[in-house]
Amino acid sequence: MDWLGNIIIEDKEIENERFELTDKNSHYFLGPNLTLRHCTVILKVPAGRLFINQAHFINCTFEVKQELKNHQQWIRASLEGCRFKGRLTGCDFGHWPEYGDEPEYQHGSIEDCDFTEAQLDGCRFMGCDPSTLRFPKWPCFTILDPIRRAPELRRATWPGLVGDVVVEKLHKQPPRTMALTKHAPTLAKQLETTPEELKAVIEQFDCILF
């Protein structure tokens, strides 16, 4: 449905289709009551033009053609067996009902998803089982169970400002945070170190995947 520049896809079950969400002048609404199976979704719009509400994605592929920044609405979606490609920064996935009072925040989940072809930075995985997920490899790295492992990580000597800015604040993450993924080159540039120096410390911990 196209209504005054709003593209609305709701109340449907769709299989094996390709959706291109690329019009910079449109707002895209996925859901409520939407189920996509084995679909490909091309995303090339900013977060402010993409709205997800109680949508269920099963074995879908998301191709992010333009960096998607600070998009929390993935936690209003159920993601099962999906694959992500492209750059995502500051995005949250999974089950985080405390995020908002609206009922759609009760429906988020993620399992069996593959991010190995994505570049993630500052992305969090909430209220889920990270062992079912495939995270991107180096130069991305993923801290598992960051709140519980924070004391152990604080005892290490981190290069640059990484210890003060990132590691010291891990225990302040929301309680449902099960994994946190960062992009080493971006982090190194911001915090006065190098990816190589960062990796030398990361390699010491079995709770960090890279």
Side-chain angles (χ1 to χ4, degrees):
M1 180 188 302
D2 187 341
W3 183 71
L4 297 179
N6 294 331
I7 311 299
I8 303 171
I9 308 172
E10 61 181 0
D11 298 320
K12 294 180 179 179
E13 292 196 15
I14 303 172
E15 293 191 33
N16 301 307
E17 294 286 345
R18 178 183 177 92
F19 296 89
E20 298 200 8
L21 283 54
T22 59
D23 183 355
K24 298 295 190 295
N25 297 314
S26 294
H27 291 86
Y28 292 92
F29 294 82
L30 303 180
N33 304 317
L34 173 67
T35 299
L36 300 186
R37 289 185 173 88
H38 300 284
C39 291
T40 297
V41 181
I42 309 298
L43 298 175
K44 196 177 180 181
V45 291
R49 291 186 173 273
L50 177 61
F51 301 89
I52 301 173
N53 180 5
Q54 301 177 56
H56 193 184
F57 302 100
I58 304 170
N59 297 322
C60 291
T61 297
F62 294 91
E63 297 185 10
V64 181
K65 300 297 187 179
Q66 170 185 311
E67 182 180 10
L68 188 63
K69 295 182 179 181
N70 302 321
H71 191 60
Q72 272 65 54
Q73 294 192 21
W74 294 112
I75 60 174
R76 294 162 31 147
S78 172
L79 298 160
E80 182 181 345
C82 294
R83 178 185 298 271
F84 286 79
K85 303 178 181 182
R87 297 173 63 194
L88 299 101
T89 300
C91 296
D92 294 323
F93 302 85
H95 186 60
W96 190 4
E98 299 85 1
Y99 185 87
D101 295 330
E102 297 86 350
E104 53 262 34
Y105 289 108
Q106 308 298 316
H107 295 273
S109 64
I110 186 169
E111 62 179 325
D112 299 323
C113 289
D114 186 343
F115 292 86
T116 55
E117 295 182 70
Q119 176 183 303
L120 305 183
D121 187 37
C123 292
R124 298 179 294 192
F125 297 84
M126 317 298 290
C128 64
D129 180 359
S131 69
T132 74
L133 307 177
R134 297 181 64 194
F135 295 102
K137 301 296 186 181
W138 187 261
C140 293
F141 65 94
T142 300
I143 304 172
L144 300 176
D145 202 1
I147 299 171
R148 189 173 67 85
R149 304 301 289 263
E152 174 187 356
L153 295 170
R154 283 198 296 268
R155 288 193 289 269
T157 300
W158 293 87
L161 301 175
V162 176
D164 293 336
V165 175
V166 178
V167 180
E168 283 295 330
K169 298 179 180 178
L170 287 177
H171 69 287
K172 296 182 179 180
Q173 292 288 340
R176 290 185 186 271
T177 307
M178 302 308 297
L180 169 64
T181 301
K182 294 280 192 178
H183 181 243
T186 300
L187 192 66
K189 185 176 181 180
Q190 295 170 342
L191 301 181
E192 302 177 9
T193 184
T194 66
E196 293 74 23
E197 290 176 328
L198 193 54
K199 190 175 184 180
V201 182
I202 287 171
E203 290 174 332
Q204 302 173 25
F205 295 97
D206 60 5
C207 63
I208 303 181
L209 306 177
F210 62 93

